Amino acid sequence: MKVTIDGQAIEVEPGTTILQAARMIGGEVVPPAMCYHSKLKGSGGKCRCCLVEVAKGSEADPRPMPKLMASCVTGCMDGMEVNSKSSDRVQEARKSVTEFLLINHPLDCPVCDQAGECNLQDLSFEHGKSESRYIEEKRTFEPEDIGPNIQLHMNRCILCYRCVMVADQITDNRVHGVMDRGDHSNISTCVSQAIDNEFSGNMIDVCPVGALTDKTFRFKSRVWFNKPFDAHRECTTPGCCGKTTVWMFGDEIQRVTGRKNEFQEIEEFICNECRFDHKEVSDWVIEGPRKFEKDSVINQNKYFGKTETVEIDTEETILLGREEDRKKISMAEIDYNEKIDGSQLDTNNKKS
């Protein structure tokens, strides 16, 4: 079947959704998605972030669809034409959805462990507004420990259901889910039971916001201060692939996560033993640095290639102050291993 998205045509298999077709094309035509996860059956259709405009239904029925459609649950038809980023109507709808998701979401980015790899941050950056029209009091919940290594911050939750689906599909005896209804809906455990199954840590990885946090990494570091490396170990837990990303600060492994693809989705799930119990470098076979997007916050100020010398072509008198400042900052003539007495300080001050 032939599908055209924002003027770019692609051949897809029957059963392919619009979102999957857009991801095959890549680039800016890919709609954002907060609830859809390719490894979780039945995911999608809840956050409405991936809305697109179907300008032509198919060759058999070329009529446009009157409403915007959720691309993650809408199947492709032969001859379908879709407008994603090129549609003003779609852009306005995504801004409205983003505003709705942020109604109860607190401005926790300065203290949230998810900052720097948060899907909601990325969504807000592209489709968010600088002001809020919501003047009512936000929903508030107390942080809740839902296991020995996981803390739930329900204030940040956007009810994407990903963590519930992980518990349903890759773990036994799910004990948490969505409680209450309407604007009282929240993720919690049934009768305050602790989540202690072997794969519960994957809920942290699939959470698109900072609602589920790793207590072993909590407040230790920002992700952009860590260096991610692909690593693996021979794991004996049934169902665990043993392939992970270890996040290192110097020679210390500060956290372990599953490997994510370019759409921030987990490629293979890992067990809690790999995630929480093995934080020594000797526990892992380090494969090499993790590849990530060039626009990622983790990639900022990291240059692996050869850089050219920058020359400032201007009048010499203009740069005199800059040259003096450079000397003061570098202070190459001072040995920092020796104590500086008062006479040296006076001399330096006079030079300044």
Side-chain angles (χ1 to χ4, degrees), residues 159-204:
L159 292 172
C160 71
Y161 291 73
R162 280 184 180 181
C163 63
V164 179
M165 291 181 178
V166 164
D168 264 338
Q169 297 175 24
I170 70 169
T171 67
D172 298 325
N173 302 321
R174 173 171 67 88
V175 296
H176 85 292
V178 180
M179 309 296 172
D180 301 327
R181 295 181 178 182
D183 62 349
H184 295 284
S185 297
N186 66 95
I187 301 290
S188 185
T189 55
C190 301
V191 203
S192 298
Q193 295 188 57
I195 298 175
D196 58 358
N197 59 69
E198 278 297 322
F199 288 86
S200 62
N202 292 286
M203 297 189 302
I204 301 171

Side-chain angles (χ1 to χ4, degrees), residues 111-122:
V111 297
C112 180
D113 285 318
Q114 192 84 356
E117 54 181 8
C118 177
N119 294 357
L120 189 56
Q121 273 186 328
D122 296 338

Side-chain angles (χ1 to χ4, degrees), residues 118-165:
C118 177
N119 294 357
L120 189 56
Q121 273 186 328
D122 296 338
L123 185 70
S124 302
F125 183 78
E126 186 167 359
H127 301 289
K129 299 179 180 179
S130 58
E131 70 282 343
S132 173
R133 295 181 291 173
Y134 192 75
I135 59 175
E136 289 76 17
E137 185 178 349
K138 293 177 181 285
R139 299 192 317 164
T140 54
F141 301 84
E142 289 296 322
E144 179 183 358
D145 289 332
I146 57 174
N149 296 306
I150 305 174
Q151 188 167 83
L152 170 65
H153 289 255
M154 189 58 216
N155 294 350
R156 304 169 184 166
C157 179
I158 61 169
L159 292 172
C160 71
Y161 291 73
R162 280 184 180 181
C163 63
V164 179
M165 291 181 178

Side-chain angles (χ1 to χ4, degrees), residues 23 32 83 141 178 193 232 259 278 297:
R23 288 183 172 184
N83 297 327
F141 301 84
V178 180
Q193 295 188 57
H232 69 270
R259 298 184 185 181
H278 294 277
V297 67

